Amino acid sequence: MQIPVCIGVSTVSVIHSGGAFSRVEAEIPQTGLVFTGNTQPGVSVFSIGVAQAAGRPTVLVVGNNVDGAAGKVDMASCVFDERGINVECTTPIDAPVSTAFRIPLGTRTLEPVTDPALTVKGNLQALGVADLDGDGNDDILLALDFLPQRALRSQGGSFVDASSAWGVDHFAHGMGVALGDLDEDGETDAVISPLGGFVDFKGLGAKGFEARGAASPYESRRRGIWPFSALFVDLDSNGHLDLLAINEFASTRSDPIQWMQQLGGAADYVGSFNTVIYKDSTTSFREGQLPYASQLVGHARSKSVAIADVDGDGRVELAMMLVRASGHTMNDLVLGQIVGGPSGHGLTVRLDARGGQGTRVKVTCAGRTQVRELYGAEGMGAAARTEAHFGCGSVTTYEALRVEPRGHAAIALPGGKLDTAVFVEVP
C-alpha cells in the first residue's frame, strides 16, 4: 500500500548569525513524499534507521509510537529507579509494532522483513546504528519508552536480540540515543535519554556495554527534564565531545514525577531549556542550560536536533524546531551556534557517498589524535551525519588527516589550517 504524505509550504524562522542567535524569516517549500509500508491506526513514525552489512541488502528500520501515549499513563504509578535518578512508569499502554524493510543491492525497492528480532513491540523512539562489535556489520541500539532498552546484534543476514548479553536491558523511558567515543578508548559509547536524565553505557566492543551508573558524569544527580533527543558533539571546539540534550519538557524542580503530574497548560513550558554538559578535559565536566527564550522569545519545547557546519567555518550549527508556548500550535526552526565559554579552532571533514556510514575520520592536532565515526543513525528521529567535526583548542593548524571508509582503502592527507571545511572524495 502506498501512502502519500503531502506537506505544504510553511513559514519558519531561520536563526543564524556568526555564533549568536538572530531571526530571519523564510519560506521553505516541502514536496510530497511517498512511503510504502503497512499502516497502523493511531500510530506515528518516530524514528528511521539504516543498517548495512557487507554484501547484504540494506535494512531500513521504522520505529513506531502510539499517538498520545503519555496521556494514557497514570503518573501515580511512576517511581524512581534504584539510584533515585531516572523515572520508571510501568503502567501498561497500547503498544504498536515497529516494522523493517530490506532494500536489495542496486535497487530502491522496499521488501518487508520477517526477521522477528526486527519486529519490535513497544514505543520505539530512537535508533542508534553502528558497527558496535567490530565485525563490519551494523548493529542497532533501540531506545524504547515504558520498556527495557534493547540491542540487536547483526549476524550479516539477520539479527539477534543481544539486550541482556550486552547489558543494555535497563528499564527507562528511552527517548533519544547519543553515540560517540566519550572516553576516547576506540570503542563507541552510548547515552540513552529517558525521563529524568540519562542512562550512560561504556562501550566494550564485542562484549557490548557496561552501565557506568554512579561513575557517570551524566547520572550524578536527579534532573527535572525529559530529553527527547541527545547527541555527542564538540560544541566548544576543545577536542572533547559534549552532550547536547533537547528537552521537550524541562523544569528546575528536583522531583520530575511531581512536575509531570502537575503539567497542565502552556504556562508550564515557559522557562524550559535544553541541557548541555560540556567535557572540558578527560575528567572534567560542567553542566549548563540553553533557555528556549534565548533562541526565540515565547517559545518552548523541542523534540529533535540536527547538526552540520552550515557556513564551513569548522564549527557546527544546530537546527531545532521550537513550539510557541502560547498555543502549542506553531513550529519555528532555529539555526545557530551555542557559545559555551572560550571557543577553540575547528575542522569539518565532508565526505562523498562512498565515505558514508561506518567511515572513521582521524585528525591529529596539538599532538593528539581524535576519532569520529559516521553512524547509521543517532538521536530521536535517528538522522545520520554526513560530516565529521573536530575541535583543536587554541592551535590554528592540524598535523594530519586520515579517512578510513568501510570497504575502501584508507586515505592519508597532510595537515593544514583550521576554521574551515575540507571535502574528501573516496576513490
Side-chain angles (χ1 to χ4, degrees):
M1 178 184 296
Q2 289 192 331
I3 310 154
V5 182
C6 300
I7 307 173
V9 177
S10 60
T11 301
V12 299
S13 300
V14 180
I15 312 301
H16 174 254
S17 179
F21 289 93
S22 61
R23 180 173 184 134
V24 178
E25 291 293 328
E27 285 194 351
I28 299 181
Q30 301 184 47
T31 58
L33 304 174
V34 176
F35 178 74
T36 303
N38 296 325
T39 62
Q40 300 178 57
V43 167
S44 294
V45 173
F46 265 49
S47 57
I48 296 179
V50 174
Q52 298 176 340
R56 301 278 186 174
T58 296
V59 174
L60 178 70
V61 181
V62 180
N64 292 327
N65 180 284
V66 173
D67 285 348
K72 300 180 182 180
V73 179
D74 179 5
M75 295 303 295
S77 70
C78 298
V79 296
F80 288 106
D81 63 16
E82 66 276 6
R83 293 184 51 239
I85 301 294
N86 294 314
V87 178
E88 299 179 355
C89 307
T90 56
T91 302
I93 63 168
D94 297 335
V97 176
S98 295
T99 54
F101 304 88
R102 281 197 173 89
I103 307 173
L105 299 177
T107 77
R108 292 182 175 87
T109 305
L110 298 182
E111 299 178 351
V113 170
T114 57
D115 189 336
L118 293 172
T119 307
V120 180
K121 186 175 182 179
N123 286 338
L124 178 51
Q125 305 291 121
L127 297 160
V129 179
D131 179 11
L132 298 170
D133 55 7
D135 66 356
N137 303 320
D138 284 330
D139 310 296
I140 306 174
L141 187 61
L142 296 83
L144 290 161
D145 201 6
F146 299 96
L147 291 166
Q149 311 311 289
R150 293 179 66 179
L152 305 180
R153 187 173 189 176
S154 174
Q155 304 293 292
S158 63
F159 289 84
V160 296
D161 191 328
S163 308
S164 178
W166 276 9
V168 302
D169 54 345
H170 180 102
F171 187 98
H173 290 276
M175 306 302 292
V177 177
L179 299 177
D181 184 6
L182 177 68
D183 51 14
E184 301 165 17
D185 65 352
E187 303 291 354
T188 296
D189 307 306
V191 163
I192 293 178
S193 54
L195 172 59
F198 308 99
V199 182
D200 186 2
F201 297 103
K202 173 180 171 58
L204 303 177
K207 295 181 180 179
F209 295 92
E210 177 182 64
R212 285 196 172 97
S216 168
Y218 313 119
E219 295 187 53
S220 57
R221 65 180 182 84
R222 182 182 296 176
R223 298 175 176 87
I225 61 175
W226 197 339
F228 266 53
S229 189
L231 289 175
F232 282 125
V233 56
D234 186 358
L235 292 169
D236 51 9
S237 297
N238 69 346
H240 299 287
L241 290 174
D242 309 307
L243 180 65
L244 171 66
I246 305 301
N247 302 322
E248 183 180 33
F249 309 123
S251 171
T252 55
R253 301 180 190 176
S254 61
D255 188 341
I257 294 180
Q258 182 185 55
W259 160 62
M260 287 294 292
Q261 288 173 335
Q262 294 176 352
L263 278 178
D268 294 308
Y269 308 111
V270 176
S272 292
F273 52 85
N274 290 328
T275 300
V276 186
I277 303 180
Y278 292 98
K279 184 177 182 182
D280 291 328
S281 67
T282 304
T283 58
S284 177
F285 298 80
R286 59 188 167 91
E287 185 165 341
Q289 297 176 357
L290 179 65
Y292 286 127
S294 70
Q295 301 162 68
L296 284 177
V297 176
H299 286 63
R301 301 175 61 195
S302 186
K303 288 188 177 181
S304 192
V305 61
I307 60 174
D309 180 2
V310 175
D311 51 8
D313 66 350
R315 297 188 60 210
V316 296
E317 279 74 45
L318 314 171
M320 291 174 283
M321 296 295 292
L322 300 185
V323 177
R324 296 184 187 177
S326 58
H328 296 185
T329 57
M330 185 68 70
N331 289 323
D332 290 290
L333 176 67
V334 298
L335 176 64
Q337 291 177 335
I338 294 179
V339 179
S343 297
H345 300 279
L347 176 70
T348 298
V349 180
R350 295 172 175 163
L351 302 158
D352 65 2
R354 287 181 292 273
Q357 71 187 72
T359 296
R360 284 199 162 197
V361 184
K362 300 178 180 179
V363 166
T364 301
C365 54
R368 173 172 169 261
T369 299
Q370 303 174 45
V371 182
R372 303 285 185 264
E373 182 173 338
L374 300 186
Y375 302 113
E378 55 184 336
M380 188 182 186
R385 304 190 204 190
T386 59
E387 55 188 35
H389 308 103
F390 300 86
C392 294
S394 61
V395 301
T396 58
T397 61
Y398 62 100
E399 291 104 72
L401 166 61
R402 181 179 175 87
V403 178
E404 299 175 351
R406 188 163 60 187
H408 298 273
I411 303 168
L413 298 169
K417 293 183 179 180
L418 293 171
D419 300 331
T420 188
V422 299
F423 178 76
V424 178
E425 187 173 359
V426 177

